[in-house]
Amino acid sequence: MTSPTPVTQADVVDQSLLYPSPYKEFWQAFSRNKGAVAGLAFMCLIVFCALFAPWIAPHDPSEQYREFLLTPPVWLEGGNWQFILGTDEVGRDLLSRLIQGARLSLLIGLSSVVMSLIPGILLGLLAGFFPRLLGPSITRLMDIMLALPSLLLAVAIVAILGPGLINTVIAIAIVSLPSYVRLTRAAVMGELNRDYVTAARLAGASLPRLMFITVLPNCMAPLIVQATLSFSSAILDAAALGFLGLGVQPPTPEWGTMLASARDYIERAWWVVSLPGLTILLSVLAINLMGDGLRDALDPKLKNAA
Amino acid sequence: MNPLALRAALAAIILSASSGLWAKPLVVCTEASPEGFDIVQFTTAVTADAAAETVFDRLVDFKPGTTELQPALAERWEISADGLTYTFHLRQGVKFHRTDYFTPTRDFNADDVLWSFQRQLDPNHPWHDKTSVGYPYFESMSFKNLLTSVEKRDAHTVVFTLSRPQAPFLRDLAMAFTSIYSAEYGDQLLKSGKTAELNSKPIGTGPFIFQRYSKDAQVRYKPNPDYFRGKPPADALIFAITPDNNVRLQKLRADECQIALYPKPDDIPSIKRDPALKVAEMEALVIGYVALNTEHPYLSDVRVRKAISMAFDHQAHVDQLFGKGNALVAVNPYPPSVLGYNSDNRNPPRDIDKARALLEEADVPEGAVLTLFTRNGGGAINPNPRLSAEMLQADLARIGIRLDIRIMEWAEMLRRAKKGEADMVATGWASDNGDPDNFLTPLLSCEAAKNGENYARWCSSKFDELITRAREVSDNDERATLYKQALAVYDDDQPWISVAHPKLFTAMRQSVEGYHVNPLTNNNFATTRVK
Amino acid sequence: MLSFIARRLGLLIPTFFGITLLTFALIRLIPGDPVEVMMGERRLDPEMHAQAMERLGLNKPLPAQYLDYVGKLAQGDLGESLRTRESVWSEFLTLFPATVELGLAALLFAGVLGLLAGVIAALKRGSLFDHGVMGISLAGYSMPIFWWGLILIMFFSVSLGWTPVSGRIDLLYDIEPKTGFMLIDTLLSDEEGSFKDAVMHLILPAIVLGTIPLAVIARMTRSSMLEVLREDYIRTARAKGLSPVRVVFIHGLRNALIPVLTVFGLQVGTLLAGAVLTETIFSWPGIGKWLIEAIGARDYPVVQNGILLIACLVILVNFVVDILYGLANPRIRHQR
């Protein structure tokens, strides 16, 4: 907002000439932020759990051990090593369900990000490149969507499509679309007046080339940051939908749904509510920490934005 | 908060309000907002509790805590030998509520009865078209066709003429949609053009006078000093609208309310242990069941239906869902206290091998997929539909059937189930009037199969004949025999898995007296006091 | 400046119509209709169904229904709820103050605490306090608030008994709803102690709802304060020998507040979304719960007009923030 941007731009160019690898440079900037590294480490753990869930999980997440209902975690009285984090209301192993749930939450986060990122970028590019008619109408549409409280919109969309994993993803993707469009459009409008764009235009670059090869790569930094942020909010939104009873279908162990269905047992068995909630909190926190680090590393301009 | 200070302040308020009389307000934690107070427009139990049980009376009603009829606004009645004419002699000297928006000039009489029924029956009645959706309960009970006429013989005698004999008719007249309104108030509202106020400012003859309603927060009533059964003992009746059952219990523990409706069965043991609290319980007239769509290629085979029931762990399911002793394992489509219960019927003993053999006979392949529709929120009939579906899923997996659970909103589930989209539907029913017909006709008759309310889409001509005959005879023993035979047909054919008859619980403070749990799940506080 | 405002206002008109169209389409795309929902498990034959739909005007073709809706809207008629048969506007008026009260309390909590923490963290940059604030605020930002609410209720209301469990007031107080704002109504009533009780009821929900805005505001304040503190005029003020408190709070904070204010504006939308969950957990009689239930009941007028009213509110707040921002920052004013 205040720093003269062209100078920063020049700095970056200079550095990239000096350093052999931009990845190395990125990593240096990223690893300077200790929180981000911690976040990354935790995320690696979650991703590992998600990828190898069937092999790591001590039990089948849907297997009901009906003689072990609401067994407390191992460190509490009555706990047992068979169920390290205890069992839920029908005797399913909580740890296995949380591990399996990581799969689902990451899947929801990832696919909803992809599903809103791609159309979001397309619409944003169109809005940026056609400022006369198309641009304002796209912007209006996004304003309209932004004016509706996101959770209500998501609830309505799930009501239309019916509950289920894919529909949850679609609802979240639609809800987070406007922020991508706006961000891309703003970035594109910023870039369009740059010399290199004019040069490419004069050189006779076609519109698609101009859009995707010339301009888009230069707008990616804020988009990547936004993508990590919306990855975490997608997990939260999915959990909130699950909490309102509109999430994925049973017996799929989604974290929010686990929390919602265990809510009745909060006074008797705190772990069935606390552990899924804590898992959500830690994962989202890890992603946000990473997002902070990414922002610092990729986009120094944004460093001071919230 | 300093509880002592609060209590002191409250005591001061109460003392000043009741001028020395030791009566206390009664706060009841209820589970939802009433839709409105013009009760004939609505169908939900919450609305019935907030309007029909407080503000209004009916010609007859049920003795508290039973399904026995007793005279109310009608003192006595005669039924003609052919069962078509009912003559009601009305109670005299009953007063309508006096409020700041209405002052009655006359006592209750036959005109009020006529007004209340003609409004729903007669398309030319000036009030008939004053509702946007009509009279759902009246219409769904087929009263339009059933009632030929409602006439006034004199100021205190009313004659109902039916088009066909209907044994449960008197019981129907105890239901919320037959509440008696003040004709005078109706005329007054019509004249001043404020017809919408019938819904927001109700007037009746009931035990409580409506004071104020704030949506999603509270309904307040004060006792009716002229109530024909005597002024209710509570100094004020307040419904604290608290949708979450955990919160209702927490508020009860904190003495923020003195009665909490529909506690989770899971909490019952801890309430019983709490010295400040107690539980009133009753075997309610409800059934939780899973309807098996008999039009489905596999499920149309009775062997498959039997196999499913055989694989299903009835006892474990009920114990886990409701807690030991909080519900009865169901066998018939209605509970034992209802007329004509067939105690010869039995659930098949759990036998996985036999169930598998049956499936094999019926050519059901390993891994066959069936869908189960269930709702997304719990209620008294099924406190945790998700859990219950997951348990059934695990049971059926053992006989090689994959259950695809679809959790949806209640209304959406019913809509799709009515269209026959589900293979299995987990749902329930609470009786309106305690008559067996009120279970069997809406849920299992051929007509209901056509309409879709019979989610099993099961139509047995033998069963239908029996229940039609039972509806028309008035002798109780004869009816019982007919219903018993009908239930035997049901048992042979297994259109449902009968799951449970949950007990109905109400949690309250030790200081509450004179509250009756009602088997029909309605709640009436006319005799309830706080010590 | 006037032309700036006029241009912004002009943009609002198509947005407004877009919202009516969107909500109209959304609620009608949801399968099922209000009559079916109302009848639930009871018998509903096709004839009865058709009659009821006709009475509600829902048997007309969709474009005609939309025109009906917009026509009524133009006359200021928001229709009546299909579920309760009460006018949408009067229901909105009884429920909205509860949400506003909760939202304002949450913003107050988030604003005061967030500004304070942000300023101190900026002044003590790199200290343990700074790291603590940043860590906690990031955790707050990552909080699943429905879970947070449950945990706080368990701890403060159930275990410790410090705060009441839910609702807006102990119902033994008979408070006349004069303004709909419980804090004001309790002051107007002569019920002793009721104001304190209303405050106690408000604390937990406000904390839960304010958690995310608190995190955002603290972070924003910190970074904006850091930026301001680097500016020349602060150095000048310091060099002049002004007291550090005066430098920070008069010169620094005032300028740092501008971007924070826009964040306040943006948080209104977040707050409304959060209100849906918070109201559900605390049985708070506000519009979030009202709308979720209306979607479930296919209560077309409530969904359409309720969402429209909220959307207008969001637009209005953003509009005001836009204008204020334009006033404060001439560079924005002349941009498109």
Side-chain angles (χ1 to χ4, degrees), chain B residues 295-465:
Chain B
E295 285 174 0
H296 182 276
Y298 298 142
L299 292 174
S300 59
D301 190 327
V302 66
R303 286 173 298 191
V304 179
R305 301 200 293 267
K306 288 230 152 96
I308 287 177
S309 183
M310 229 172 250
F312 179 62
D313 194 341
H314 291 259
Q315 189 69 49
H317 189 95
V318 169
D319 285 350
Q320 177 52 19
L321 202 59
F322 297 94
K324 273 203 191 337
N326 292 342
L328 212 65
V329 172
V331 181
N332 284 310
Y334 55 71
S337 49
V338 175
L339 188 74
Y341 183 83
N342 190 333
S343 43
D344 299 334
N345 290 353
R346 289 273 179 280
N347 283 321
R350 190 157 192 244
D351 189 337
I352 301 293
D353 297 330
K354 205 167 154 201
R356 275 185 170 276
L358 278 174
L359 288 184
E360 209 164 306
E361 261 177 59
D363 282 332
V364 177
E366 180 82 21
V369 179
L370 294 175
T371 58
L372 171 75
F373 283 15
T374 193
R375 61 186 294 192
N376 62 359
I381 292 176
N382 189 343
N384 193 339
R386 164 182 288 267
L387 180 80
S388 134
E390 285 174 345
M391 290 183 76
L392 180 60
Q393 190 179 42
D395 282 339
L396 293 191
R398 301 188 57 183
I399 56 168
I401 290 179
R402 269 186 45 216
L403 198 61
D404 181 7
I405 302 173
R406 306 271 175 81
I407 293 193
M408 44 191 105
E409 284 175 274
W410 188 56
E412 176 67 0
M413 174 186 104
L414 295 179
R415 188 180 73 86
R416 293 179 56 182
K418 279 181 190 171
K419 288 188 184 161
E421 288 177 29
D423 302 340
M424 296 160 78
V425 185
T427 181
W429 178 262
S431 169
D432 297 308
N433 56 19
D435 196 273
D437 182 61
N438 187 258
F439 285 92
L440 302 184
T441 300
L443 304 180
L444 287 161
S445 67
C446 289
E447 199 211 336
K450 246 183 277 159
N451 283 327
E453 283 93 11
N454 176 347
Y455 304 123
R457 310 179 88 72
W458 176 67
C459 175
S460 149
S461 51
K462 205 164 143 207
F463 180 86
D464 234 37
E465 236 168 70

Side-chain angles (χ1 to χ4, degrees), chain C residues 72-121:
Chain C
K72 275 191 178 171
L73 209 58
Q75 297 164 21
D77 179 3
L78 297 183
E80 68 177 44
S81 159
L82 302 181
R83 198 158 56 115
T84 66
R85 332 283 195 264
E86 289 294 313
S87 102
V88 174
W89 179 242
S90 78
E91 287 201 342
F92 181 79
L93 278 190
T94 52
L95 298 173
F96 189 57
T99 302
V100 173
E101 192 170 71
L102 176 60
L104 286 180
L107 269 186
L108 186 74
F109 162 76
V112 170
L113 221 60
L115 281 176
L116 215 62
V119 169
I120 298 178

Side-chain angles (χ1 to χ4, degrees), chain B residues 39-44 120-121 133-147 164 166 172 175-178 418 429-430 432-433 437-438 441-443 445 447-448 451 453 471, chain C residues 35-36 38-49 51-52 55:
Chain B
I39 181 64
V40 298
Q41 293 194 50
F42 305 105
T43 57
T44 62
Q120 304 186 67
L121 182 65
V133 268
Y135 303 94
Y137 226 124
F138 191 84
E139 284 161 31
S140 86
M141 293 289 286
S142 298
F143 261 45
K144 263 203 168 129
N145 309 326
L146 181 67
L147 286 182
R164 56 172 189 272
Q166 162 100 344
D172 293 346
M175 286 165 65
F177 75 97
T178 61
K418 279 181 190 171
W429 178 262
D432 297 308
N433 56 19
D437 182 61
N438 187 258
T441 300
L443 304 180
S445 67
E447 199 211 336
N451 283 327
E453 283 93 11
R471 187 163 50 225
Chain C
V35 176
E36 278 173 345
M38 186 184 64
M39 291 307 290
E41 66 222 320
R42 318 230 156 256
R43 197 178 64 86
L44 174 68
D45 49 43
E47 184 200 353
M48 237 175 98
H49 184 243
Q51 268 178 8
R55 252 181 304 217

Side-chain angles (χ1 to χ4, degrees), chain B residues 62-205:
Chain B
F62 296 109
K63 278 187 193 152
T66 71
T67 54
E68 265 173 72
L69 287 172
Q70 65 175 2
L73 289 181
E75 251 172 345
R76 60 202 159 79
W77 52 85
E78 292 110 34
I79 307 171
S80 66
D82 58 4
L84 291 177
T85 314
Y86 287 68
T87 309
F88 291 93
H89 302 278
L90 305 181
R91 193 179 294 273
Q92 303 192 18
V94 177
K95 305 235 179 318
F96 279 101
H97 298 159
R98 181 184 297 271
T99 65
D100 48 6
Y101 50 86
F102 176 66
T103 312
T105 61
R106 61 166 178 79
D107 288 352
F108 156 75
N109 66 27
D111 290 332
D112 300 311
V113 179
L114 248 55
W115 191 93
S116 307
F117 281 90
Q118 295 295 3
R119 175 188 177 203
Q120 304 186 67
L121 182 65
D122 176 10
N124 299 319
H125 191 273
W127 273 85
H128 184 76
D129 57 358
K130 291 288 182 288
T131 75
S132 45
V133 268
Y135 303 94
Y137 226 124
F138 191 84
E139 284 161 31
S140 86
M141 293 289 286
S142 298
F143 261 45
K144 263 203 168 129
N145 309 326
L146 181 67
L147 286 182
T148 311
S149 69
V150 182
E151 282 157 340
K152 166 178 165 182
R153 183 171 297 160
D154 60 52
H156 299 288
T157 316
V158 181
V159 182
F160 286 70
T161 315
L162 310 192
S163 60
R164 56 172 189 272
Q166 162 100 344
F169 182 65
L170 268 181
R171 291 179 167 278
D172 293 346
L173 289 188
M175 286 165 65
F177 75 97
T178 61
S179 294
I180 304 298
Y181 290 66
S182 160
E184 192 189 356
Y185 183 51
D187 292 345
Q188 185 185 315
L189 288 179
L190 196 65
K191 233 175 258 157
S192 55
K194 290 191 238 165
T195 52
E197 285 191 2
L198 194 64
N199 188 30
S200 54
K201 294 177 174 171
I203 291 286
T205 56

Side-chain angles (χ1 to χ4, degrees), chain C residues 20-335:
Chain C
T20 61
L21 199 60
L22 182 68
T23 51
F24 179 87
L26 266 184
I27 184 68
R28 275 174 180 73
L29 278 173
I30 300 178
D33 64 57
V35 176
E36 278 173 345
V37 174
M38 186 184 64
M39 291 307 290
E41 66 222 320
R42 318 230 156 256
R43 197 178 64 86
L44 174 68
D45 49 43
E47 184 200 353
M48 237 175 98
H49 184 243
Q51 268 178 8
M53 291 298 273
E54 191 183 332
R55 252 181 304 217
L56 296 174
L58 295 175
N59 57 339
K60 297 184 194 168
L62 284 182
Q65 285 185 41
Y66 180 69
L67 286 182
D68 273 2
Y69 162 48
V70 177
K72 275 191 178 171
L73 209 58
Q75 297 164 21
D77 179 3
L78 297 183
E80 68 177 44
S81 159
L82 302 181
R83 198 158 56 115
T84 66
R85 332 283 195 264
E86 289 294 313
S87 102
V88 174
W89 179 242
S90 78
E91 287 201 342
F92 181 79
L93 278 190
T94 52
L95 298 173
F96 189 57
T99 302
V100 173
E101 192 170 71
L102 176 60
L104 286 180
L107 269 186
L108 186 74
F109 162 76
V112 170
L113 221 60
L115 281 176
L116 215 62
V119 169
I120 298 178
L123 291 177
K124 303 192 168 180
R125 188 180 190 185
S127 70
L128 200 63
F129 183 85
D130 182 23
H131 284 300
V133 166
M134 294 311 286
I136 290 172
S137 76
L138 201 62
Y141 188 67
S142 315
M143 191 64 83
I145 66 166
F146 46 93
W147 178 73
W148 182 225
L150 289 180
I151 299 290
L152 288 186
I153 292 180
M154 267 327 281
F155 193 68
F156 289 107
S157 304
V158 178
S159 297
L160 296 175
W162 288 359
T163 53
V165 176
S166 80
R168 293 177 80 190
I169 184 93
D170 192 317
L171 292 180
L172 290 177
Y173 295 116
D174 188 358
I175 307 292
E176 187 93 27
K178 286 181 184 133
T179 61
F181 293 94
M182 196 51 89
L183 293 182
I184 301 176
D185 285 340
T186 49
L187 282 180
L188 292 178
S189 82
D190 45 9
E191 303 256 346
E192 216 171 305
S194 60
F195 178 74
K196 190 180 156 211
D197 188 56
V199 173
M200 294 307 282
H201 275 86
L202 189 54
I203 289 178
L204 275 195
I207 290 179
V208 168
L209 188 56
T211 298
I212 290 179
L214 168 66
V216 174
I217 289 170
R219 280 161 69 85
M220 190 71 203
T221 310
R222 176 182 174 274
S223 60
S224 140
M225 196 69 190
L226 281 177
E227 204 163 292
V228 169
L229 289 178
R230 275 197 298 263
E231 300 276 342
D232 293 339
Y233 61 86
I234 294 288
R235 241 176 287 159
T236 317
R238 280 207 174 121
K240 271 201 308 196
L242 292 179
S243 79
V245 174
R246 200 179 151 85
V247 172
V248 170
F249 285 97
I250 306 294
H251 294 267
L253 191 57
R254 204 176 55 190
N255 288 293
L257 269 181
I258 294 174
V260 177
L261 272 180
T262 59
V263 172
F264 254 86
L266 289 177
Q267 287 305 313
V268 172
T270 319
L271 274 178
L272 283 170
V276 174
L277 293 169
T278 315
E279 286 171 6
T280 307
I281 295 168
F282 288 94
S283 315
W284 193 265
I287 44 174
K289 244 175 65 173
W290 180 52
L291 288 176
I292 293 276
E293 278 172 16
I295 292 178
R298 314 287 183 266
D299 197 337
Y300 295 167
V302 170
V303 176
Q304 282 167 188
N305 293 315
I307 293 187
L308 183 69
L309 286 168
I310 292 191
C312 287
L313 182 81
V314 173
I315 292 176
L316 192 76
V317 170
N318 284 332
F319 179 70
V320 171
V321 168
D322 253 17
I323 301 291
L324 289 180
Y325 203 66
L327 283 175
N329 195 342
R331 264 183 294 176
I332 305 287
R333 202 186 307 160
H334 300 295
Q335 271 176 17

Side-chain angles (χ1 to χ4, degrees), chain A residues 126-155:
Chain A
L126 288 175
F129 272 85
F130 301 98
R132 298 223 165 273
L133 211 62
L134 197 55
S137 16
I138 292 176
T139 321
R140 274 301 76 69
L141 190 65
M142 294 305 127
D143 279 354
I144 292 167
M145 286 173 68
L146 276 177
L148 308 186
S150 57
L151 193 58
L152 275 181
L153 190 57
V155 167

